Amino acid sequence: MTWITGAQNTWCPGCGNFAIQHALKAVLEDLVAGGMRRENFVLVSGIGCHAKIADYMAMNSFYSIHGRGAAVAGGIALANPDLTVISCAGDGDAYAEGLDHLVFAAKRNTDMTVIVHDNRVYGLTTGQYTPTSYEGFRGRSTPDGVRERPINPLELMLASGATFVARAYTRKMEHLKTVLKAAVLHRGFSFVDVLQICATYNNLTDYYAPRVYETEGRDAGDFEAAMRLAREWDYSSDAPIALGVIYESDAPSDPWPRMDGGGPEKRREEIRRILQEKI
Ligand code: SF4
């Protein structure tokens, strides 16, 4: 059974959204082959180029509104903790319109995965700057260049209490799959900032190529080390750009009990079993 719908795909040729879609597809195929139930996965998207992924993936999905993907995903996870909830968001979507929802989902350690398609531009509306656009970026709304410093989403998520924080890159496909799989299997709030190429309005391929490197998850349990790694690159400088799981900790999630008195144990048992089979 395919994971890709027959909907006409309108992403531009070369767009990094394809890489995220196919990495996610590979991860879901792998997890279903390992025993997780396809019908228990739910995909939520916001508004923006990324959001079309809800139309293009053949699975349970919810095409929500601008910036509210994390809120909708959190509601789904809370209503039925047996589900594995994945929220795809854009950088303008998650870090501007929806920033408060993202911060509170991290603070609550809601059991869900947020994947930010961080192309560092509003692509759907033809090239305006977002909170992660670099200083000096010239877009439709900033012809003289952005004069603000970008926010650093990894630092922000660490400070907000996220228990899984990672960064990946759309031109490192195998690494992207590994990171997304780890994020989906993490129990609690997982956050992945995916540096995504926007082929039309912000193609940073030549900028990223000499700077990205893989951390291999070293010191991922050390919060201070994670914060140092998060601050190594400020989304504007020429510093090296760490990719991988930079922080992971085990902390209680789902602070609210279910109405029926149950809990997320069923899904957790399923994940534990899969993890044990892999060891
Ligand atoms: Fe992808 Fe950019 Fe085209 Fe949007 S505008 S589909 S992000 S390449």
Side-chain angles (χ1 to χ4, degrees):
M1 195 176 178
T2 180
W3 285 89
I4 307 293
T5 68
Q8 182 187 5
N9 192 307
T10 58
W11 286 330
C12 308
C15 175
N17 280 316
F18 288 105
I20 297 174
Q21 181 195 19
H22 284 273
L24 185 59
K25 169 181 171 282
V27 167
L28 296 177
E29 276 174 345
D30 194 22
L31 293 176
V32 169
M36 290 180 78
R37 297 171 61 168
R38 180 182 177 129
E39 60 269 30
N40 281 357
F41 288 102
V42 182
L43 178 68
V44 178
S45 69
I47 294 292
C49 292
H50 83 276
K52 300 174 187 176
I53 197 169
D55 285 337
Y56 302 156
M57 291 293 288
M59 60 189 292
N60 293 321
S61 62
F62 193 119
Y63 205 138
S64 75
I65 55 175
H66 211 185
R68 273 59 181 177
V72 171
I76 294 170
L78 184 63
N80 186 351
D82 294 335
L83 300 177
T84 298
V85 185
I86 300 165
S87 174
C88 285
D91 45 307
D93 189 54
Y95 304 145
E97 280 80 5
L99 183 63
D100 48 349
H101 300 294
L102 186 68
V103 166
F104 277 88
K107 177 176 179 288
R108 292 173 183 139
N109 196 25
T110 306
D111 192 12
M112 59 192 250
T113 298
V114 173
I115 301 168
V116 179
H117 301 218
D118 190 358
N119 57 17
R120 309 172 67 196
V121 70
Y122 284 100
L124 193 67
T125 51
T126 69
Q128 295 78 18
Y129 82 107
T130 72
T132 50
S133 297
Y134 55 86
E135 206 171 0
F137 169 77
R138 292 175 189 270
R140 289 287 174 96
S141 59
T142 52
D144 292 335
V146 174
R147 297 182 185 178
E148 303 166 13
R149 304 286 300 160
I151 67 162
N152 182 332
L154 270 58
E155 189 179 353
L156 178 70
M157 287 293 94
L158 285 168
S160 302
T163 53
F164 182 105
V165 176
R167 187 194 282 132
Y169 175 42
T170 53
R171 294 213 189 274
K172 282 192 171 285
M173 192 66 175
E174 289 309 310
H175 183 262
L176 174 60
K177 288 181 201 169
T178 303
V179 169
L180 293 186
K181 185 173 179 182
V184 172
L185 289 175
H186 174 77
R187 295 189 296 278
F189 182 81
S190 310
F191 169 82
V192 186
D193 186 61
V194 183
L195 300 175
Q196 181 213 309
I197 296 303
C198 171
T200 303
Y201 297 109
N202 198 18
N203 191 340
L204 295 174
T205 305
D206 292 343
Y207 171 79
Y208 290 138
R211 294 177 177 82
V212 294
Y213 73 97
E214 296 174 20
T215 64
E216 296 168 0
R218 62 174 183 259
D219 301 329
D222 182 336
F223 182 85
E224 296 303 327
M227 195 54 105
R228 279 196 297 278
L229 209 48
R231 288 174 172 157
E232 190 175 48
W233 176 57
D234 64 1
Y235 285 74
S236 213
S237 73
D238 287 335
I241 302 171
L243 303 177
V245 180
I246 71 160
Y247 183 66
E248 183 167 19
S249 71
D250 197 10
S253 66
D254 310 300
W256 297 292
R258 280 177 71 163
M259 298 289 283
D260 63 5
E265 278 312 304
K266 191 173 164 191
R267 174 174 174 259
R268 292 181 177 191
E269 278 307 315
E270 199 175 36
I271 289 175
R272 270 188 212 112
R273 180 178 57 74
I274 289 169
L275 287 173
Q276 279 164 2
E277 283 174 5
K278 296 279 179 195
I279 294 169

